[in-house]
């Protein structure tokens, strides 16, 4: 995967977890529900520009409940993009929340 510096970490995590959500077979709850909720929150933050206070904590909580609890490596792999993005580029997620705060006061 090759990316340039115009691709944001939240957008990359969103697109990668969208793939894992699509590929999830739905057999186990942490993967089925975890990928669903990761994509739902990330879609609102990244695509709709509607990031809210508490979204970052919610994303951390979702992947932490998935990690180590999925039946196969697909679910465990879905944790990696969002965990890495949140931990390595926290300022990009915080910027989404603050940009929205500025737009709507
Ligand atoms: S972790 Fe594997 S078994 Fe569980 S829902 Fe995802 S793809 Fe299916």
């Amino acid at each position: 995967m090759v990316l340039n510096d115009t691709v944001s970490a939240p957008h990359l995590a969103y697109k990668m977890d969208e793939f894992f959500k699509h590929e999830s077979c739905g057999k186990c709850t942490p993967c089925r529900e975890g990928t669903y909720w990761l994509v739902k929150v990330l879609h609102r933050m990244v695509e709709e520009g509607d990031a809210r206070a508490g979204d970052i904590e919610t994303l951390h909580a979702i992947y932490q409940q998935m990690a180590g609890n999925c039946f196969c490596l697909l679910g465990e792999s879905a944790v990696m993009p969002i965990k890495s993005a949140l931990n390595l580029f926290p300022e990009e997620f915080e910027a989404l929340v603050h940009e929205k705060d500025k737009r709507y006061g």
Side-chain angles (χ1 to χ4, degrees):
M1 187 179 285
V2 178
L3 306 163
N4 67 22
D5 60 5
T6 66
V7 179
S8 74
H11 183 80
L12 177 61
Y14 165 60
K15 298 309 285 185
M16 291 182 74
D17 277 324
E18 193 175 45
F19 164 79
F20 287 116
K21 174 180 174 280
H22 182 264
E23 294 300 316
S24 172
C25 76
K27 180 177 178 180
C28 64
T29 305
C31 174
R32 182 184 64 243
E33 295 298 319
T35 55
Y36 172 84
W37 283 104
L38 283 177
V39 169
K40 189 174 178 75
V41 173
L42 284 167
H43 182 272
R44 180 167 48 69
M45 294 176 82
V46 172
E47 296 290 339
E48 297 177 7
D50 188 19
R52 300 171 188 169
D55 281 345
I56 294 170
E57 290 76 13
T58 299
L59 291 170
H60 277 289
I62 295 169
Y63 84 68
Q64 286 167 358
Q65 290 175 54
M66 295 170 69
N69 295 317
C70 295
F71 191 72
C72 79
L73 279 178
L74 186 137
E76 297 299 329
S77 298
V79 169
M80 295 173 193
I82 186 62
K83 181 179 178 181
S84 294
L86 283 166
N87 289 312
L88 295 173
F89 302 96
E91 69 283 359
E92 294 193 19
F93 289 87
E94 287 157 13
L96 291 174
V97 175
H98 295 143
E99 280 169 22
K100 197 238 174 176
D101 287 346
K102 274 191 258 171
R103 280 199 303 273
Y104 298 103

